[in-house]
Amino acid sequence: DAGVIQSPRHEVTEMGQEVTLRCKPISGHDYLFWYRQTMMRGLELLIYFNNNVPIDDSGMPEDRFSAKMPNASFSTLKIQPSEPRDSAVYFCASSYGKRGSTDTQYFGPGTRLTVL
Amino acid sequence: GIQVEQSPPDLILQEGANSTLRCNFSDSVNNLQWFHQNPWGQLINLFYIPSGTKQNGRLSATTVATERYSLLYISSSQTTDSGVYFCAVAKLSFGAGTTVTVRA
C-alpha cells in the first residue's frame, strides 16, 4: 500500500481565500484523523471519522473550518476564509480500529499551508 | 483535558550512547503511543503501549499506567534517530516532544 496520501504537499494562499486539503487513507482503514501542527501549539487533533462519519470535531478551531468524508477513500479539510494564523502543517492519519479510535495511526506526509 | 508532559525537552547524544525519554500524563488512559517525527517532518508510530513493556530493535518502551508515566529507551543511538519524539495519550493529546540530536 502507498500509505496515507495527502495533497497538495505545499499550499500558499492569500488571506480570505478558500483552501481545500485532501487525504486518501490506507485502504481498509476505518478511522481517519486530521491534525494541525504549529510551533506555538504543537500537534492538535482537529477531527476524526469512523466509517466516514464524523465522531469528534471538538478540536476544530472555528466555523471557518469544515471536514468531510464522502467515502472510505477520500476526505477533505476546508478553510474558508483562510487567515494568516491558519498557517501550519496539516496531517491526515488513518487506522484500522480493532481497539476503536485508539489504534496505531499511520500519518501522511502533511500539507504545509502558508496564508499570506 | 489530559495533560501530557515530556522530558527532557532537548537531548544531544553522541552516536552509540543510550538515552531515556519520559512522558508523564495527568489521568488514567487506555491509549498511549510514541511517535518519531524525522527531520523531514514525517511522523512514524513507534509503539502503542498503554501498559507494560515492548521492544522493537534498539527502541523499547515501558508504561506504568498506575503511576501515569511512560519511558522510551533508545540504545546505541544512531544519527538516524535524530528528530522529535512525541508521546500521545487518549484520542490523542500530544506532549510537546523531546528533540533528539545524535552526533556522529
Side-chain angles (χ1 to χ4, degrees), chain B residues 15-53:
Chain B
E15 199 169 31
N18 302 327
S19 63
T20 301
L21 283 59
R22 186 177 181 102
C23 171
N24 293 331
F25 42 96
S26 62
D27 203 350
S28 301
V29 298
N30 61 0
N31 176 27
L32 187 144
Q33 300 185 33
W34 284 96
F35 295 86
H36 175 226
Q37 187 168 35
N38 66 25
W40 296 270
Q42 179 67 36
L43 276 157
I44 304 294
N45 184 282
L46 298 175
F47 294 103
Y48 169 84
I49 186 164
S51 64
T53 297

PDB file of all heavy atoms in Angstrom, chain B residues 15-53:
ATOM      1  N   GLU B  15      26.789   9.490  19.003  1.00  0.00           N
ATOM      2  CA  GLU B  15      26.430   8.215  18.393  1.00  0.00           C
ATOM      3  C   GLU B  15      26.913   7.054  19.261  1.00  0.00           C
ATOM      4  O   GLU B  15      28.059   7.064  19.731  1.00  0.00           O
ATOM      5  CB  GLU B  15      27.050   8.123  16.991  1.00  0.00           C
ATOM      6  CG  GLU B  15      26.423   7.096  16.089  1.00  0.00           C
ATOM      7  CD  GLU B  15      26.890   7.236  14.653  1.00  0.00           C
ATOM      8  OE1 GLU B  15      28.035   7.662  14.444  1.00  0.00           O
ATOM      9  OE2 GLU B  15      26.105   6.915  13.745  1.00  0.00           O
ATOM     10  N   GLY B  16      26.018   6.099  19.484  1.00  0.00           N
ATOM     11  CA  GLY B  16      26.359   4.943  20.301  1.00  0.00           C
ATOM     12  C   GLY B  16      25.880   5.039  21.736  1.00  0.00           C
ATOM     13  O   GLY B  16      25.859   4.042  22.455  1.00  0.00           O
ATOM     14  N   ALA B  17      25.466   6.230  22.155  1.00  0.00           N
ATOM     15  CA  ALA B  17      25.008   6.416  23.531  1.00  0.00           C
ATOM     16  C   ALA B  17      23.585   5.901  23.702  1.00  0.00           C
ATOM     17  O   ALA B  17      22.828   5.756  22.738  1.00  0.00           O
ATOM     18  CB  ALA B  17      25.081   7.890  23.910  1.00  0.00           C
ATOM     19  N   ASN B  18      23.223   5.650  24.958  1.00  0.00           N
ATOM     20  CA  ASN B  18      21.869   5.250  25.318  1.00  0.00           C
ATOM     21  C   ASN B  18      21.148   6.442  25.943  1.00  0.00           C
ATOM     22  O   ASN B  18      21.790   7.336  26.519  1.00  0.00           O
ATOM     23  CB  ASN B  18      21.885   4.094  26.320  1.00  0.00           C
ATOM     24  CG  ASN B  18      22.634   2.887  25.786  1.00  0.00           C
ATOM     25  OD1 ASN B  18      22.630   2.625  24.596  1.00  0.00           O
ATOM     26  ND2 ASN B  18      23.307   2.174  26.686  1.00  0.00           N
ATOM     27  N   SER B  19      19.821   6.440  25.877  1.00  0.00           N
ATOM     28  CA  SER B  19      19.075   7.541  26.479  1.00  0.00           C
ATOM     29  C   SER B  19      17.680   7.083  26.874  1.00  0.00           C
ATOM     30  O   SER B  19      17.180   6.069  26.383  1.00  0.00           O
ATOM     31  CB  SER B  19      18.967   8.722  25.500  1.00  0.00           C
ATOM     32  OG  SER B  19      18.236   8.341  24.359  1.00  0.00           O
ATOM     33  N   THR B  20      17.069   7.868  27.759  1.00  0.00           N
ATOM     34  CA  THR B  20      15.706   7.599  28.217  1.00  0.00           C
ATOM     35  C   THR B  20      14.889   8.872  28.125  1.00  0.00           C
ATOM     36  O   THR B  20      15.299   9.918  28.634  1.00  0.00           O
ATOM     37  CB  THR B  20      15.712   7.105  29.678  1.00  0.00           C
ATOM     38  OG1 THR B  20      16.490   5.920  29.777  1.00  0.00           O
ATOM     39  CG2 THR B  20      14.286   6.814  30.134  1.00  0.00           C
ATOM     40  N   LEU B  21      13.748   8.773  27.479  1.00  0.00           N
ATOM     41  CA  LEU B  21      12.804   9.876  27.375  1.00  0.00           C
ATOM     42  C   LEU B  21      11.599   9.542  28.246  1.00  0.00           C
ATOM     43  O   LEU B  21      11.173   8.389  28.329  1.00  0.00           O
ATOM     44  CB  LEU B  21      12.353  10.058  25.924  1.00  0.00           C
ATOM     45  CG  LEU B  21      13.299  10.741  24.934  1.00  0.00           C
ATOM     46  CD1 LEU B  21      14.627  10.010  24.813  1.00  0.00           C
ATOM     47  CD2 LEU B  21      12.638  10.844  23.560  1.00  0.00           C
ATOM     48  N   ARG B  22      11.048  10.574  28.864  1.00  0.00           N
ATOM     49  CA  ARG B  22       9.954  10.348  29.802  1.00  0.00           C
ATOM     50  C   ARG B  22       8.707  11.090  29.377  1.00  0.00           C
ATOM     51  O   ARG B  22       8.776  12.208  28.841  1.00  0.00           O
ATOM     52  CB  ARG B  22      10.349  10.793  31.214  1.00  0.00           C
ATOM     53  CG  ARG B  22       9.320  10.454  32.283  1.00  0.00           C
ATOM     54  CD  ARG B  22       9.784  10.848  33.660  1.00  0.00           C
ATOM     55  NE  ARG B  22       8.799  10.500  34.677  1.00  0.00           N
ATOM     56  CZ  ARG B  22       8.883   9.443  35.485  1.00  0.00           C
ATOM     57  NH1 ARG B  22       9.920   8.622  35.416  1.00  0.00           N
ATOM     58  NH2 ARG B  22       7.953   9.198  36.379  1.00  0.00           N
ATOM     59  N   CYS B  23       7.564  10.461  29.661  1.00  0.00           N
ATOM     60  CA  CYS B  23       6.250  11.057  29.387  1.00  0.00           C
ATOM     61  C   CYS B  23       5.397  10.890  30.632  1.00  0.00           C
ATOM     62  O   CYS B  23       5.158   9.754  31.064  1.00  0.00           O
ATOM     63  CB  CYS B  23       5.617  10.361  28.189  1.00  0.00           C
ATOM     64  SG  CYS B  23       3.889  10.797  27.869  1.00  0.00           S
ATOM     65  N   ASN B  24       4.958  11.983  31.225  1.00  0.00           N
ATOM     66  CA  ASN B  24       4.030  11.953  32.349  1.00  0.00           C
ATOM     67  C   ASN B  24       2.656  12.415  31.874  1.00  0.00           C
ATOM     68  O   ASN B  24       2.556  13.354  31.079  1.00  0.00           O
ATOM     69  CB  ASN B  24       4.511  12.889  33.465  1.00  0.00           C
ATOM     70  CG  ASN B  24       5.792  12.408  34.124  1.00  0.00           C
ATOM     71  OD1 ASN B  24       6.076  11.218  34.180  1.00  0.00           O
ATOM     72  ND2 ASN B  24       6.577  13.350  34.624  1.00  0.00           N
ATOM     73  N   PHE B  25       1.617  11.782  32.373  1.00  0.00           N
ATOM     74  CA  PHE B  25       0.264  12.185  31.991  1.00  0.00           C
ATOM     75  C   PHE B  25      -0.598  12.306  33.247  1.00  0.00           C
ATOM     76  O   PHE B  25      -0.344  11.648  34.255  1.00  0.00           O
ATOM     77  CB  PHE B  25      -0.355  11.250  30.962  1.00  0.00           C
ATOM     78  CG  PHE B  25      -0.122   9.789  31.210  1.00  0.00           C
ATOM     79  CD1 PHE B  25      -1.072   9.018  31.859  1.00  0.00           C
ATOM     80  CD2 PHE B  25       1.046   9.172  30.765  1.00  0.00           C
ATOM     81  CE1 PHE B  25      -0.859   7.665  32.082  1.00  0.00           C
ATOM     82  CE2 PHE B  25       1.267   7.818  30.983  1.00  0.00           C
ATOM     83  CZ  PHE B  25       0.315   7.068  31.652  1.00  0.00           C
ATOM     84  N   SER B  26      -1.617  13.149  33.137  1.00  0.00           N
ATOM     85  CA  SER B  26      -2.325  13.612  34.335  1.00  0.00           C
ATOM     86  C   SER B  26      -3.501  12.746  34.761  1.00  0.00           C
ATOM     87  O   SER B  26      -4.049  12.956  35.842  1.00  0.00           O
ATOM     88  CB  SER B  26      -2.822  15.043  34.112  1.00  0.00           C
ATOM     89  OG  SER B  26      -3.733  15.076  33.031  1.00  0.00           O
ATOM     90  N   ASP B  27      -3.898  11.779  33.916  1.00  0.00           N
ATOM     91  CA  ASP B  27      -5.065  10.978  34.270  1.00  0.00           C
ATOM     92  C   ASP B  27      -4.909   9.579  33.693  1.00  0.00           C
ATOM     93  O   ASP B  27      -4.036   9.337  32.854  1.00  0.00           O
ATOM     94  CB  ASP B  27      -6.336  11.647  33.728  1.00  0.00           C
ATOM     95  CG  ASP B  27      -7.588  11.242  34.484  1.00  0.00           C
ATOM     96  OD1 ASP B  27      -7.510  10.297  35.309  1.00  0.00           O
ATOM     97  OD2 ASP B  27      -8.646  11.858  34.248  1.00  0.00           O
ATOM     98  N   SER B  28      -5.758   8.690  34.139  1.00  0.00           N
ATOM     99  CA  SER B  28      -5.723   7.318  33.619  1.00  0.00           C
ATOM    100  C   SER B  28      -6.048   7.326  32.126  1.00  0.00           C
ATOM    101  O   SER B  28      -6.933   8.057  31.684  1.00  0.00           O
ATOM    102  CB  SER B  28      -6.743   6.455  34.360  1.00  0.00           C
ATOM    103  OG  SER B  28      -6.462   6.441  35.740  1.00  0.00           O
ATOM    104  N   VAL B  29      -5.314   6.505  31.390  1.00  0.00           N
ATOM    105  CA  VAL B  29      -5.544   6.437  29.948  1.00  0.00           C
ATOM    106  C   VAL B  29      -5.564   4.974  29.517  1.00  0.00           C
ATOM    107  O   VAL B  29      -4.947   4.118  30.140  1.00  0.00           O
ATOM    108  CB  VAL B  29      -4.449   7.200  29.162  1.00  0.00           C
ATOM    109  CG1 VAL B  29      -4.459   8.675  29.509  1.00  0.00           C
ATOM    110  CG2 VAL B  29      -3.076   6.598  29.406  1.00  0.00           C
ATOM    111  N   ASN B  30      -6.300   4.706  28.433  1.00  0.00           N
ATOM    112  CA  ASN B  30      -6.281   3.357  27.858  1.00  0.00           C
ATOM    113  C   ASN B  30      -5.561   3.355  26.519  1.00  0.00           C
ATOM    114  O   ASN B  30      -5.646   2.390  25.765  1.00  0.00           O
ATOM    115  CB  ASN B  30      -7.707   2.824  27.695  1.00  0.00           C
ATOM    116  CG  ASN B  30      -8.538   3.692  26.772  1.00  0.00           C
ATOM    117  OD1 ASN B  30      -8.059   4.691  26.253  1.00  0.00           O
ATOM    118  ND2 ASN B  30      -9.768   3.302  26.548  1.00  0.00           N
ATOM    119  N   ASN B  31      -4.902   4.456  26.242  1.00  0.00           N
ATOM    120  CA  ASN B  31      -4.186   4.577  24.985  1.00  0.00           C
ATOM    121  C   ASN B  31      -2.964   5.444  25.191  1.00  0.00           C
ATOM    122  O   ASN B  31      -3.086   6.573  25.685  1.00  0.00           O
ATOM    123  CB  ASN B  31      -5.092   5.205  23.922  1.00  0.00           C
ATOM    124  CG  ASN B  31      -4.364   5.439  22.611  1.00  0.00           C
ATOM    125  OD1 ASN B  31      -3.407   4.756  22.274  1.00  0.00           O
ATOM    126  ND2 ASN B  31      -4.814   6.419  21.855  1.00  0.00           N
ATOM    127  N   LEU B  32      -1.804   4.938  24.833  1.00  0.00           N
ATOM    128  CA  LEU B  32      -0.596   5.745  24.855  1.00  0.00           C
ATOM    129  C   LEU B  32       0.264   5.295  23.687  1.00  0.00           C
ATOM    130  O   LEU B  32       0.467   4.085  23.476  1.00  0.00           O
ATOM    131  CB  LEU B  32       0.176   5.578  26.169  1.00  0.00           C
ATOM    132  CG  LEU B  32       1.381   6.528  26.345  1.00  0.00           C
ATOM    133  CD1 LEU B  32       1.516   6.951  27.788  1.00  0.00           C
ATOM    134  CD2 LEU B  32       2.659   5.937  25.806  1.00  0.00           C
ATOM    135  N   GLN B  33       0.700   6.252  22.902  1.00  0.00           N
ATOM    136  CA  GLN B  33       1.512   5.938  21.736  1.00  0.00           C
ATOM    137  C   GLN B  33       2.739   6.831  21.719  1.00  0.00           C
ATOM    138  O   GLN B  33       2.688   7.981  22.152  1.00  0.00           O
ATOM    139  CB  GLN B  33       0.694   6.120  20.446  1.00  0.00           C
ATOM    140  CG  GLN B  33      -0.544   5.223  20.393  1.00  0.00           C
ATOM    141  CD  GLN B  33      -1.297   5.291  19.084  1.00  0.00           C
ATOM    142  OE1 GLN B  33      -0.724   5.473  18.017  1.00  0.00           O
ATOM    143  NE2 GLN B  33      -2.618   5.128  19.166  1.00  0.00           N
ATOM    144  N   TRP B  34       3.814   6.295  21.212  1.00  0.00           N
ATOM    145  CA  TRP B  34       5.045   7.044  20.974  1.00  0.00           C
ATOM    146  C   TRP B  34       5.229   7.189  19.462  1.00  0.00           C
ATOM    147  O   TRP B  34       5.052   6.229  18.710  1.00  0.00           O
ATOM    148  CB  TRP B  34       6.264   6.337  21.556  1.00  0.00           C
ATOM    149  CG  TRP B  34       6.412   6.452  23.049  1.00  0.00           C
ATOM    150  CD1 TRP B  34       6.007   5.563  23.996  1.00  0.00           C
ATOM    151  CD2 TRP B  34       7.044   7.524  23.752  1.00  0.00           C
ATOM    152  NE1 TRP B  34       6.340   6.018  25.247  1.00  0.00           N
ATOM    153  CE2 TRP B  34       6.984   7.220  25.141  1.00  0.00           C
ATOM    154  CE3 TRP B  34       7.664   8.715  23.373  1.00  0.00           C
ATOM    155  CZ2 TRP B  34       7.514   8.056  26.127  1.00  0.00           C
ATOM    156  CZ3 TRP B  34       8.199   9.547  24.345  1.00  0.00           C
ATOM    157  CH2 TRP B  34       8.126   9.220  25.710  1.00  0.00           C
ATOM    158  N   PHE B  35       5.600   8.412  19.066  1.00  0.00           N
ATOM    159  CA  PHE B  35       5.842   8.722  17.663  1.00  0.00           C
ATOM    160  C   PHE B  35       7.219   9.350  17.510  1.00  0.00           C
ATOM    161  O   PHE B  35       7.717  10.016  18.407  1.00  0.00           O
ATOM    162  CB  PHE B  35       4.811   9.733  17.129  1.00  0.00           C
ATOM    163  CG  PHE B  35       3.396   9.238  17.089  1.00  0.00           C
ATOM    164  CD1 PHE B  35       2.590   9.333  18.211  1.00  0.00           C
ATOM    165  CD2 PHE B  35       2.869   8.695  15.937  1.00  0.00           C
ATOM    166  CE1 PHE B  35       1.274   8.891  18.181  1.00  0.00           C
ATOM    167  CE2 PHE B  35       1.559   8.252  15.889  1.00  0.00           C
ATOM    168  CZ  PHE B  35       0.758   8.348  17.023  1.00  0.00           C
ATOM    169  N   HIS B  36       7.784   9.156  16.326  1.00  0.00           N
ATOM    170  CA  HIS B  36       9.011   9.840  15.968  1.00  0.00           C
ATOM    171  C   HIS B  36       8.729  10.713  14.746  1.00  0.00           C
ATOM    172  O   HIS B  36       8.157  10.222  13.758  1.00  0.00           O
ATOM    173  CB  HIS B  36      10.113   8.821  15.624  1.00  0.00           C
ATOM    174  CG  HIS B  36      11.384   9.420  15.127  1.00  0.00           C
ATOM    175  ND1 HIS B  36      12.062   8.940  14.026  1.00  0.00           N
ATOM    176  CD2 HIS B  36      12.100  10.478  15.586  1.00  0.00           C
ATOM    177  CE1 HIS B  36      13.151   9.671  13.825  1.00  0.00           C
ATOM    178  NE2 HIS B  36      13.194  10.596  14.767  1.00  0.00           N
ATOM    179  N   GLN B  37       9.092  11.997  14.848  1.00  0.00           N
ATOM    180  CA  GLN B  37       8.992  12.874  13.678  1.00  0.00           C
ATOM    181  C   GLN B  37      10.409  13.143  13.184  1.00  0.00           C
ATOM    182  O   GLN B  37      11.213  13.749  13.911  1.00  0.00           O
ATOM    183  CB  GLN B  37       8.281  14.185  14.020  1.00  0.00           C
ATOM    184  CG  GLN B  37       8.013  15.050  12.783  1.00  0.00           C
ATOM    185  CD  GLN B  37       7.058  16.196  13.077  1.00  0.00           C
ATOM    186  OE1 GLN B  37       7.049  16.768  14.154  1.00  0.00           O
ATOM    187  NE2 GLN B  37       6.226  16.536  12.098  1.00  0.00           N
ATOM    188  N   ASN B  38      10.708  12.676  11.992  1.00  0.00           N
ATOM    189  CA  ASN B  38      12.075  12.827  11.492  1.00  0.00           C
ATOM    190  C   ASN B  38      12.329  14.270  11.036  1.00  0.00           C
ATOM    191  O   ASN B  38      11.404  15.089  10.983  1.00  0.00           O
ATOM    192  CB  ASN B  38      12.368  11.811  10.391  1.00  0.00           C
ATOM    193  CG  ASN B  38      11.540  12.040   9.133  1.00  0.00           C
ATOM    194  OD1 ASN B  38      11.078  13.146   8.846  1.00  0.00           O
ATOM    195  ND2 ASN B  38      11.356  10.967   8.367  1.00  0.00           N
ATOM    196  N   PRO B  39      13.571  14.596  10.745  1.00  0.00           N
ATOM    197  CA  PRO B  39      13.887  15.988  10.366  1.00  0.00           C
ATOM    198  C   PRO B  39      13.148  16.464   9.120  1.00  0.00           C
ATOM    199  O   PRO B  39      13.087  17.667   8.868  1.00  0.00           O
ATOM    200  CB  PRO B  39      15.402  15.946  10.155  1.00  0.00           C
ATOM    201  CG  PRO B  39      15.878  14.843  11.053  1.00  0.00           C
ATOM    202  CD  PRO B  39      14.791  13.807  10.984  1.00  0.00           C
ATOM    203  N   TRP B  40      12.574  15.571   8.347  1.00  0.00           N
ATOM    204  CA  TRP B  40      11.813  15.956   7.162  1.00  0.00           C
ATOM    205  C   TRP B  40      10.324  16.090   7.461  1.00  0.00           C
ATOM    206  O   TRP B  40       9.519  16.339   6.571  1.00  0.00           O
ATOM    207  CB  TRP B  40      12.038  14.941   6.036  1.00  0.00           C
ATOM    208  CG  TRP B  40      13.479  14.946   5.613  1.00  0.00           C
ATOM    209  CD1 TRP B  40      14.056  15.699   4.648  1.00  0.00           C
ATOM    210  CD2 TRP B  40      14.522  14.160   6.195  1.00  0.00           C
ATOM    211  NE1 TRP B  40      15.400  15.429   4.586  1.00  0.00           N
ATOM    212  CE2 TRP B  40      15.716  14.491   5.520  1.00  0.00           C
ATOM    213  CE3 TRP B  40      14.575  13.210   7.220  1.00  0.00           C
ATOM    214  CZ2 TRP B  40      16.940  13.921   5.834  1.00  0.00           C
ATOM    215  CZ3 TRP B  40      15.798  12.628   7.532  1.00  0.00           C
ATOM    216  CH2 TRP B  40      16.967  12.992   6.840  1.00  0.00           C
ATOM    217  N   GLY B  41       9.950  15.887   8.722  1.00  0.00           N
ATOM    218  CA  GLY B  41       8.571  16.128   9.126  1.00  0.00           C
ATOM    219  C   GLY B  41       7.671  14.907   9.154  1.00  0.00           C
ATOM    220  O   GLY B  41       6.523  15.003   9.585  1.00  0.00           O
ATOM    221  N   GLN B  42       8.147  13.782   8.689  1.00  0.00           N
ATOM    222  CA  GLN B  42       7.310  12.585   8.646  1.00  0.00           C
ATOM    223  C   GLN B  42       7.116  12.026  10.055  1.00  0.00           C
ATOM    224  O   GLN B  42       8.080  11.877  10.818  1.00  0.00           O
ATOM    225  CB  GLN B  42       7.943  11.517   7.756  1.00  0.00           C
ATOM    226  CG  GLN B  42       7.146  10.220   7.667  1.00  0.00           C
ATOM    227  CD  GLN B  42       5.811  10.380   6.953  1.00  0.00           C
ATOM    228  OE1 GLN B  42       5.691  11.141   6.001  1.00  0.00           O
ATOM    229  NE2 GLN B  42       4.808   9.683   7.431  1.00  0.00           N
ATOM    230  N   LEU B  43       5.859  11.714  10.387  1.00  0.00           N
ATOM    231  CA  LEU B  43       5.520  11.132  11.684  1.00  0.00           C
ATOM    232  C   LEU B  43       5.380   9.623  11.551  1.00  0.00           C
ATOM    233  O   LEU B  43       4.611   9.146  10.715  1.00  0.00           O
ATOM    234  CB  LEU B  43       4.205  11.716  12.202  1.00  0.00           C
ATOM    235  CG  LEU B  43       4.299  13.041  12.923  1.00  0.00           C
ATOM    236  CD1 LEU B  43       2.969  13.760  12.882  1.00  0.00           C
ATOM    237  CD2 LEU B  43       4.732  12.831  14.367  1.00  0.00           C
ATOM    238  N   ILE B  44       6.098   8.901  12.391  1.00  0.00           N
ATOM    239  CA  ILE B  44       6.066   7.443  12.366  1.00  0.00           C
ATOM    240  C   ILE B  44       5.656   6.944  13.744  1.00  0.00           C
ATOM    241  O   ILE B  44       6.223   7.375  14.758  1.00  0.00           O
ATOM    242  CB  ILE B  44       7.448   6.858  12.019  1.00  0.00           C
ATOM    243  CG1 ILE B  44       7.948   7.424  10.684  1.00  0.00           C
ATOM    244  CG2 ILE B  44       7.403   5.334  11.985  1.00  0.00           C
ATOM    245  CD1 ILE B  44       7.127   7.003   9.503  1.00  0.00           C
ATOM    246  N   ASN B  45       4.697   6.029  13.753  1.00  0.00           N
ATOM    247  CA  ASN B  45       4.298   5.431  15.009  1.00  0.00           C
ATOM    248  C   ASN B  45       5.352   4.422  15.454  1.00  0.00           C
ATOM    249  O   ASN B  45       5.767   3.576  14.669  1.00  0.00           O
ATOM    250  CB  ASN B  45       2.945   4.750  14.851  1.00  0.00           C
ATOM    251  CG  ASN B  45       2.434   4.190  16.146  1.00  0.00           C
ATOM    252  OD1 ASN B  45       2.868   3.143  16.598  1.00  0.00           O
ATOM    253  ND2 ASN B  45       1.516   4.899  16.763  1.00  0.00           N
ATOM    254  N   LEU B  46       5.802   4.552  16.714  1.00  0.00           N
ATOM    255  CA  LEU B  46       6.810   3.637  17.250  1.00  0.00           C
ATOM    256  C   LEU B  46       6.174   2.525  18.077  1.00  0.00           C
ATOM    257  O   LEU B  46       6.494   1.352  17.897  1.00  0.00           O
ATOM    258  CB  LEU B  46       7.815   4.406  18.111  1.00  0.00           C
ATOM    259  CG  LEU B  46       8.633   5.485  17.421  1.00  0.00           C
ATOM    260  CD1 LEU B  46       9.494   6.219  18.442  1.00  0.00           C
ATOM    261  CD2 LEU B  46       9.493   4.892  16.322  1.00  0.00           C
ATOM    262  N   PHE B  47       5.320   2.909  19.007  1.00  0.00           N
ATOM    263  CA  PHE B  47       4.720   1.943  19.908  1.00  0.00           C
ATOM    264  C   PHE B  47       3.297   2.359  20.263  1.00  0.00           C
ATOM    265  O   PHE B  47       3.015   3.548  20.453  1.00  0.00           O
ATOM    266  CB  PHE B  47       5.502   1.845  21.233  1.00  0.00           C
ATOM    267  CG  PHE B  47       6.885   1.295  21.103  1.00  0.00           C
ATOM    268  CD1 PHE B  47       7.977   2.145  21.150  1.00  0.00           C
ATOM    269  CD2 PHE B  47       7.098  -0.065  20.956  1.00  0.00           C
ATOM    270  CE1 PHE B  47       9.263   1.654  21.039  1.00  0.00           C
ATOM    271  CE2 PHE B  47       8.377  -0.576  20.848  1.00  0.00           C
ATOM    272  CZ  PHE B  47       9.469   0.282  20.892  1.00  0.00           C
ATOM    273  N   TYR B  48       2.439   1.372  20.351  1.00  0.00           N
ATOM    274  CA  TYR B  48       1.161   1.508  21.048  1.00  0.00           C
ATOM    275  C   TYR B  48       1.348   0.776  22.371  1.00  0.00           C
ATOM    276  O   TYR B  48       1.543  -0.444  22.380  1.00  0.00           O
ATOM    277  CB  TYR B  48       0.025   0.889  20.238  1.00  0.00           C
ATOM    278  CG  TYR B  48      -1.266   0.749  21.012  1.00  0.00           C
ATOM    279  CD1 TYR B  48      -2.144   1.822  21.120  1.00  0.00           C
ATOM    280  CD2 TYR B  48      -1.601  -0.439  21.657  1.00  0.00           C
ATOM    281  CE1 TYR B  48      -3.320   1.704  21.833  1.00  0.00           C
ATOM    282  CE2 TYR B  48      -2.769  -0.553  22.373  1.00  0.00           C
ATOM    283  CZ  TYR B  48      -3.629   0.518  22.462  1.00  0.00           C
ATOM    284  OH  TYR B  48      -4.794   0.406  23.179  1.00  0.00           O
ATOM    285  N   ILE B  49       1.366   1.520  23.496  1.00  0.00           N
ATOM    286  CA  ILE B  49       1.767   0.884  24.749  1.00  0.00           C
ATOM    287  C   ILE B  49       1.032   1.510  25.933  1.00  0.00           C
ATOM    288  O   ILE B  49       1.620   2.281  26.705  1.00  0.00           O
ATOM    289  CB  ILE B  49       3.302   0.929  24.924  1.00  0.00           C
ATOM    290  CG1 ILE B  49       3.738   0.152  26.153  1.00  0.00           C
ATOM    291  CG2 ILE B  49       3.842   2.359  24.869  1.00  0.00           C
ATOM    292  CD1 ILE B  49       5.200  -0.181  26.214  1.00  0.00           C
ATOM    293  N   PRO B  50      -0.261   1.175  26.126  1.00  0.00           N
ATOM    294  CA  PRO B  50      -0.986   1.708  27.273  1.00  0.00           C
ATOM    295  C   PRO B  50      -0.509   1.138  28.601  1.00  0.00           C
ATOM    296  O   PRO B  50      -0.773   1.726  29.668  1.00  0.00           O
ATOM    297  CB  PRO B  50      -2.430   1.299  26.996  1.00  0.00           C
ATOM    298  CG  PRO B  50      -2.315   0.109  26.102  1.00  0.00           C
ATOM    299  CD  PRO B  50      -1.095   0.344  25.271  1.00  0.00           C
ATOM    300  N   SER B  51       0.203   0.009  28.553  1.00  0.00           N
ATOM    301  CA  SER B  51       0.781  -0.571  29.767  1.00  0.00           C
ATOM    302  C   SER B  51       1.829  -1.593  29.351  1.00  0.00           C
ATOM    303  O   SER B  51       1.865  -2.044  28.202  1.00  0.00           O
ATOM    304  CB  SER B  51      -0.288  -1.230  30.632  1.00  0.00           C
ATOM    305  OG  SER B  51      -0.859  -2.321  29.942  1.00  0.00           O
ATOM    306  N   GLY B  52       2.712  -1.931  30.306  1.00  0.00           N
ATOM    307  CA  GLY B  52       3.695  -2.969  30.041  1.00  0.00           C
ATOM    308  C   GLY B  52       4.911  -2.478  29.285  1.00  0.00           C
ATOM    309  O   GLY B  52       5.209  -1.288  29.257  1.00  0.00           O
ATOM    310  N   THR B  53       5.631  -3.417  28.701  1.00  0.00           N
ATOM    311  CA  THR B  53       6.883  -3.142  28.018  1.00  0.00           C
ATOM    312  C   THR B  53       6.870  -3.769  26.633  1.00  0.00           C
ATOM    313  O   THR B  53       6.377  -4.884  26.461  1.00  0.00           O
ATOM    314  CB  THR B  53       8.075  -3.714  28.829  1.00  0.00           C
ATOM    315  OG1 THR B  53       8.129  -3.054  30.094  1.00  0.00           O
ATOM    316  CG2 THR B  53       9.388  -3.501  28.093  1.00  0.00           C
TER     317      THR B  53
END
